[in-house]
Amino acid sequence: MSDGLTIALDAMGGDKAPDMVVQGAEIALERSPDLKIILVGDEARLRPLVDKTKRLKAQSPEIIHTDKVIADEDKPSVALRQGKGSSMRLAIDLVGQGKADGVVSAGNTGALMAIAKLVLRPMPGIDRPAIAGFFPTRRGESAMLDLGANITCDATNLVQFAIMGQIFVRTVLGLERPVVGILNVGIEEQKGNDSVREAATILRGMTDMPFEFHGFVEGDDIPAGTVDVVVTDGFSGNIALKTAEGTSRLIGQFLRDAFRNSLLSKLGYLFARGAVGQLRQRMDPRRYNGAMFLGLNGIAVKSHGGTDALGFANAIGVAADMKRYGFLEKVREELTNGRLDRPDEQPTAVATA
C-alpha cells in the first residue's frame, strides 16, 4: 500500500453520480489534504469533472476506467454474479488487494454489502457484518446498528452487533465506557421476541466488558440519547433510519411554511435566522451521512444514494476516520483477547451461522 491514507471511490454509484462523487472528493480534500483519492468509473465522464476542481486536479488522481455499473434495482445475487468489472466491485477489490485503505460508495446497499462480504470477508468470530451509523440526539450523537444489512437476526447476531457497536463509538466518539441498549417494544424484561430477550440475558452476563448494558430501549429513547449504542435487527433499524430522515425533512418544511405564512412571520424569521440556521445544521442528515460496514476485514462505507457533495464528503471522512483511529485493529484486539470468543462463558454469543 502506498504512503498516506488512500480512499477508493465508486464514482458511478448514487443518484447524482459522478458529479456528486467528484465534488465530494474535492470537499474531503479541502478538509483533509493528506488523503489520496482513487476514482473508479467511466473515465470519459470523470476526467472533465476532475479538471474543473482545484485540489483533486492538483493531486492527479488515478482513475480506474470501467463503464459497467451495478443498478439500484439489481438484487445482491445478481450483483455478485454479474458485477465483476463494475465500478463498485473494482473499488472494493482495491481494499481487498491492499491498494486502498477504504472504499466509499453511494450505490446499491444490498450489492455493496454482498460484494464487500465476499471480497473482504467477515472477521473471525463475526457471523454477520452490520451497517452502523450515527443519529443526532439531545445528548449529542448515538450509533445504531444494524441499519439494513440483516433483516432477521438471532441473539448471537445482536450480541455481536453490541460488541462491534461499542468499539465503534469508543473509536470514533472517544467514549471510555459507552452505554448499550437493545431496541424493543418495551423496557420490561418480558417484552419482545426470543432473540432480543436472549441477547439481553447474554449481555447482562458480560460484566468484564468495557461498556455498560442499559437493557431495553424504545423508539423515543433514540432521539433522547438514552444510550450510546442502539442494537437492533436490520428491518427495524432501517425503518428507524428512514423515519428519522423523513421527520427531519418534515420539520424543515413546517418551519419554511411557518415563516412564509405572513409578513409578520417573515419579519420574525429575520430575528430568528441564526437560531433557525443552527437547527437546520443540527438536523441536516448530510452531517450523519456515511454508514460503516462493521465486522469485515476492511473499511467499507455506504453513503446515502440521494446525498449531495457535502454528504458524500462526510462519508469519505467516516472511512478516513476509521483508518486513522485504528478501528479494525481495535476489533481484532478484542477478538484476540477473547472477548468475542469465550464459549465457556458465553456459548450462544459465538454460535456459527
Side-chain angles (χ1 to χ4, degrees):
M1 185 178 298
S2 60
D3 294 337
L5 204 164
T6 302
I7 304 297
L9 305 181
D10 170 14
M12 311 309 292
D15 299 344
K16 303 171 186 176
D19 303 59
M20 171 271 294
V21 174
V22 172
Q23 293 167 12
E26 177 72 5
I27 296 172
L29 285 174
E30 181 179 358
R31 297 171 176 175
S32 303
D34 62 317
L35 288 181
K36 178 182 178 182
I37 300 296
I38 301 177
L39 297 168
V40 184
D42 188 341
E43 185 169 8
R45 296 179 64 186
L46 288 170
R47 186 63 67 183
L49 295 173
V50 171
D51 288 342
K52 294 178 182 178
T53 64
K54 178 181 178 182
R55 295 169 179 82
L56 190 60
K57 179 182 178 180
Q59 188 181 102
S60 298
E62 179 181 2
I63 298 178
I64 297 177
H65 172 72
T66 178
D67 55 9
K68 190 171 184 180
V69 180
I70 294 176
D72 289 341
E73 62 271 16
D74 286 348
K75 294 181 179 180
S77 57
V78 174
L80 283 173
R81 291 196 308 269
Q82 303 178 7
K84 202 167 185 179
S86 66
S87 59
M88 181 184 291
R89 175 62 186 267
L90 292 177
I92 296 173
D93 282 345
L94 290 172
V95 180
Q97 296 162 2
K99 297 178 180 178
D101 296 295
V103 59
V104 182
S105 174
N108 184 318
T109 303
L112 185 63
M113 172 57 85
I115 296 174
K117 188 175 180 180
L118 174 69
V119 174
L120 304 179
R121 311 300 299 173
M123 290 183 174
I126 300 297
D127 296 336
R128 295 185 185 182
I131 301 176
F134 287 109
F135 276 69
T137 74
R138 290 205 299 262
R139 296 175 53 243
E141 292 179 343
S142 294
M144 177 183 283
L145 68 164
D146 180 26
L147 295 180
N150 305 282
I151 299 302
T152 59
C153 298
D154 59 19
T156 299
N157 306 139
L158 295 177
V159 170
Q160 292 176 357
F161 295 170
I163 302 299
M164 292 189 293
Q166 59 89 18
I167 300 173
F168 185 49
V169 298
R170 280 165 48 209
T171 300
V172 177
L173 300 183
L175 301 180
E176 292 185 6
R177 190 172 179 82
V179 180
V180 177
I182 297 178
L183 188 64
N184 200 357
V185 295
I187 61 173
E188 297 83 2
E189 291 188 14
Q190 70 273 17
K191 291 287 185 70
N193 56 36
D194 292 341
S195 295
V196 298
R197 293 200 305 271
E198 183 181 349
T201 299
I202 296 170
L203 289 170
R204 288 191 188 98
M206 294 182 172
T207 56
D208 62 338
M209 297 294 286
F211 67 89
E212 175 186 340
F213 179 59
H214 174 85
F216 295 136
V217 294
E218 298 180 89
D220 57 351
D221 287 307
I222 300 173
T226 302
V227 296
D228 302 304
V229 181
V230 180
V231 176
T232 186
D233 60 77
F235 183 85
S236 302
N238 191 265
I239 291 175
L241 173 65
K242 299 299 174 55
T243 301
E245 291 174 345
T247 301
S248 175
R249 289 192 291 268
L250 179 65
I251 293 174
Q253 185 62 55
F254 281 170
L255 281 172
R256 287 190 292 271
D257 293 344
F259 283 120
R260 294 169 181 166
N261 189 45
S262 66
L263 177 60
L264 187 61
S265 63
K266 291 178 181 178
L267 290 173
Y269 172 74
L270 294 178
F271 292 101
R273 183 164 50 187
V276 172
Q278 291 177 9
L279 175 63
R280 184 184 296 114
Q281 184 179 16
R282 184 76 182 273
M283 296 183 63
D284 190 345
R286 297 176 301 176
R287 286 188 62 195
Y288 308 95
N289 186 48
M292 176 71 184
F293 288 178
L294 304 185
L296 296 173
N297 287 299
I299 295 172
V301 172
K302 172 65 173 72
S303 167
H304 196 295
T307 195
D308 62 8
L310 178 59
F312 195 79
N314 288 334
I316 296 173
V318 170
D321 285 346
M322 292 295 95
K323 177 61 178 179
R324 289 192 183 103
Y325 299 142
F327 173 76
L328 296 179
E329 290 76 13
K330 290 180 180 179
V331 175
R332 293 190 184 105
E333 181 182 356
E334 302 249 348
L335 290 167
T336 302
N337 290 341
R339 282 173 168 162
L340 290 181
D341 190 12
R342 288 182 301 190
D344 56 321
E345 296 181 27
Q346 308 141 144
T348 55
V350 290
T352 56

